[in-house]
Amino acid sequence: MSEALVELHETSLRQCAQRIGEENVWSFSSPVVLVKECGEAVVIPVSAIGNHLTVCEHVDHPLIQEWLNLTLNEGPAKALESMLSDTNLEKAGEFAGLYDAWRKDVQRRGHGTVSAGDLAHFVSKARGCWPDEVPVLAVLKEEGKVEVLTFCVAVSDLLR
C-alpha cells in the first residue's frame, strides 16, 4: 500500500524532501506529508497535523479500549450495558463519565480520524527518521472504514 501512495504522491514527497534538506535541526515546524482522507497530499509542519484531522483524545483510554473490544464480540449496545453495569462501581462510573465525554466530543466535532496516541507516535516517528527520511501519515478510507498508515520514505530516493 505504501508503495502505491509513494508513486501517487511523488511530487509532494519530493517537495518535502527538499525542505528537509534545507533544515539544520528538527523542530515541530519540520515538514511531513499528510495524505488526507480525500486523497490529497499536503506538505505541512508536523505540528499542524492536528489542524487537518479530527483528533480523538478519549479513544486511547483503557476503559474505552475495553468497551471497543467488547463491541467486536457483543455489539455496541450490549458492550455498553456490560461496561455500565460492571460490579466495580468505581470502574463503571469512570467509564460512564468517559463515554459521556466521548459522545459529546463526537456530537461536537464528529468521529475522530486519529487518536491522540496515534498522533504522538507519528510525531516521535517523524523526529526519529529526520533528516534521512520523509515521514508520511496517510488517512485511508475504504468501504466506510478509516485506517491510518504511517511510513517513511528515504530522502535520497526522492531527490535522485
Side-chain angles (χ1 to χ4, degrees):
M1 175 58 76
S2 60
E3 295 85 14
L5 289 169
V6 168
E7 189 174 317
L8 186 61
H9 301 295
E10 188 173 354
T11 302
S12 296
L13 290 163
R14 281 180 194 226
Q15 181 185 23
C16 188
Q18 290 169 338
R19 286 181 49 194
I20 288 172
E22 295 166 0
E23 292 188 338
N24 293 322
V25 64
W26 184 89
S27 72
F28 286 109
S29 48
S30 292
V32 299
V33 173
L34 170 65
V35 180
K36 297 180 181 184
E37 221 173 301
C38 64
E40 174 191 12
V42 292
V43 179
I44 58 172
V46 69
S47 61
I49 289 180
N51 297 337
H52 292 266
L53 302 173
T54 305
V55 180
C56 179
E57 63 205 50
H58 305 290
V59 77
D60 287 327
H61 193 283
L63 290 176
I64 297 292
Q65 285 294 311
E66 184 179 337
W67 171 69
L68 290 170
N69 287 331
L70 283 173
T71 64
L72 298 175
N73 298 323
E74 300 178 8
K78 190 166 181 157
L80 181 60
E81 183 182 328
S82 294
M83 292 296 292
L84 292 173
S85 62
D86 193 289
T87 56
N88 180 335
L89 296 179
E90 188 176 316
K91 176 182 172 184
E94 183 180 0
F95 173 75
L98 287 165
Y99 183 80
D100 187 48
W102 173 68
R103 292 292 301 151
K104 286 178 183 171
D105 194 37
V106 168
Q107 289 171 349
R108 193 177 80 249
R109 302 181 315 135
H111 283 283
T113 309
V114 296
S115 73
D118 290 338
L119 207 51
H121 173 76
F122 180 70
V123 170
S124 176
K125 186 176 202 169
R127 185 173 187 180
C129 72
W130 190 89
D132 301 318
E133 297 176 299
V134 172
V136 180
L137 188 146
V139 180
L140 310 173
K141 189 170 188 175
E142 213 171 286
E143 297 176 14
K145 243 185 147 180
V146 175
E147 180 183 347
V148 176
L149 177 67
T150 63
F151 59 95
C152 295
V153 182
V155 167
S156 59
D157 292 346
L158 293 165
L159 296 180
R160 286 185 192 172

